[in-house]
Amino acid sequence: MFTRHFASLKGDTVKAIFLVCLAVGVVGVSYGSLAMAYGFPLWVPLALSTLVLAGASEFMFIGIVASGGNPLAAALAGLLVNARHIPFGVTVRELVGQRAASFLGCHIMNDESVVFGLSQSTAEQRKAAYWLCGLGVALLWPAGVLVGAAVGKLLPAPETIGLDAVFPAILLALVLPALKKRTTLIRASSGALLSLAAVPFAPVGLPVLLSLLGLLTRKK
């Protein structure tokens, strides 16, 4: 069934999904390396990358715990970061599948799969892009963690060579073409400014949610 759906995707879309999933794997290398450098046993980042499957909250969790924070507080902070999944779930409810498949479909819901899923022109392509990207992330994220863990002791500070910047850079490259539209540019810029202004005052994770208010901006 999925093979038939995937065949409906354009080559450029498949290529973009592959590049994003590959970038996720590279960031997973950074995450696995950091976890090892912080002294975590391998099973912790591997379990998080498989069961939680939410990169930002996983980075936050190991950072808080490594700095002496309470694991429960770290988990609550991760839940706050992932609060955006609530509106995501409503938006992609027709893409996650039905019955037993819906459990896996919800699990692979992330920023990337949602963006690719909603950006397609037909219902079949939306579902195919959502699942292809979601499954790709679900596979390459923990795979990257394993690779990162293998070199973690040799690379105590992965951010010094820019591994943590690869993923945002690729996402920015994918977003830039959409900013050619004036309305999209205005709304994206408004959301970015709102988010940056809230950073010094709002709890971690909330500025991202506030950026959604940029969608209310209208072109004059």
Side-chain angles (χ1 to χ4, degrees), residues 22 34-35 45 60 63 67 85 88 94 96 122 134 149 170 189 202 210 216:
L22 183 62
L34 285 173
M60 179 176 294
S67 62
H85 285 197
F88 281 179
E94 296 180 356
V96 299
T122 69
I170 291 180
S189 300
L210 292 177
L216 301 178

Side-chain angles (χ1 to χ4, degrees), residues 39-119:
F40 285 93
L42 175 59
W43 70 266
V44 173
L46 187 57
L48 290 175
S49 64
T50 304
L51 301 176
V52 178
L53 196 57
S57 61
E58 292 176 47
F59 269 108
M60 179 176 294
F61 180 85
I62 66 170
I64 292 176
V65 174
S67 62
N70 188 297
L72 180 59
L76 290 176
L79 287 174
L80 178 59
V81 171
N82 285 336
R84 67 189 185 283
H85 285 197
I86 296 176
F88 281 179
V90 175
T91 305
V92 300
R93 62 185 182 278
E94 296 180 356
L95 305 182
V96 299
Q98 299 178 348
R99 301 184 177 86
S102 65
F103 290 97
L104 178 59
C106 290
H107 183 59
I108 63 174
M109 181 176 63
N110 49 59
D111 297 352
E112 298 79 24
S113 62
V114 170
V115 168
F116 276 109
L118 296 180
S119 63

